[in-house]
Amino acid sequence: MSGLLSEHSDPSNPARQGFWARHPAEVAADLIGWSVFVDGVGGRIVETEAYHHEDPASHSYAGPTPRNAVMFGPQAHAYVYRSYGIHWCLNFVCWQGAPGGGVLIRALEPTAGLDIMAERRGLADPRALASGPGKLGQALGVTRAHNGLALTSPPFAMRSGPRPELVIGPRIGISKAVDLPWRFGEAGSRYLSRSF
DNA sequence: TGCCCGATTAACT
DNA sequence: GTTAATCGGGCAA
């Protein structure tokens, strides 16, 4: 499908809603190779994790709360949460049937605004700019202000891309449902948070 | 109201 | 391999 946009993969296509109204694990896999930008700063998504409302590791597992409310709202919106009191992590809301799900964007291959990312991160190595969910949030300037914003309009922008060969494994940093293979990455990428 | 802990990172030993 | 930094959600009291 290299380069060609299906109605599901083209974010500018009105039918795109179908892309996000699927199981988060399917969306997480299909997002690898896409690009995301915040105010023009961003790059290719090379690592994601899926979180489902019936998944004990998901913020949405116990039902809506003020923090996770966005996960129960419309798909293709940004869910941003504070991690360990320090980092901002970026998720894309997606769910099918019952609401409450999302995809954590864990790592990017930077392609635009490298200088801005370097300034925000305090270092210049492209491989260290967004190779982790907290780093990615910092590099893209994501904060609580982005929570609940649609991915289809500024400051967000998305571009579909060919899906590379994938590697799949268990998610990182969780204590429940640790064996679910809901972490996806680009095989051989040098921009992953950790190897699979 | 208080306490515990986390979808992490960076700087240690 | 280990640990501090740091803060808000969720739950017990």
Side-chain angles (χ1 to χ4, degrees), chain A residues 59 67-68 70-71 77-83 87-93 137 142-149 156:
Chain A
H59 290 173
R67 176 175 70 149
N68 66 21
V70 170
M71 295 183 87
H77 283 236
Y79 166 52
V80 179
Y81 70 89
R82 192 79 139 148
S83 175
H87 307 100
W88 295 106
C89 296
L90 175 64
N91 300 252
F92 296 165
V93 176
V142 172
T143 70
R144 185 181 213 99
H146 296 88
N147 190 39
L149 298 184
F156 283 100

Side-chain angles (χ1 to χ4, degrees), chain A residues 145-171:
Chain A
H146 296 88
N147 190 39
L149 298 184
L151 300 174
T152 48
S153 57
F156 283 100
M158 297 201 62
R159 184 194 308 151
S160 62
R163 196 176 83 175
E165 181 183 347
L166 297 187
V167 283
I168 304 174
R171 295 170 292 180

Side-chain angles (χ1 to χ4, degrees), chain A residues 35-91:
Chain A
S35 292
V36 59
F37 307 94
V38 181
D39 289 316
V41 176
R44 282 183 68 241
I45 298 170
V46 297
E47 183 180 341
T48 60
E49 282 180 0
Y51 289 89
H52 185 266
H53 73 283
E54 292 179 342
D55 158 26
S58 173
H59 290 173
S60 58
Y61 181 64
T65 68
R67 176 175 70 149
N68 66 21
V70 170
M71 295 183 87
F72 293 86
Q75 296 98 333
H77 283 236
Y79 166 52
V80 179
Y81 70 89
R82 192 79 139 148
S83 175
Y84 288 88
I86 303 173
H87 307 100
W88 295 106
C89 296
L90 175 64
N91 300 252

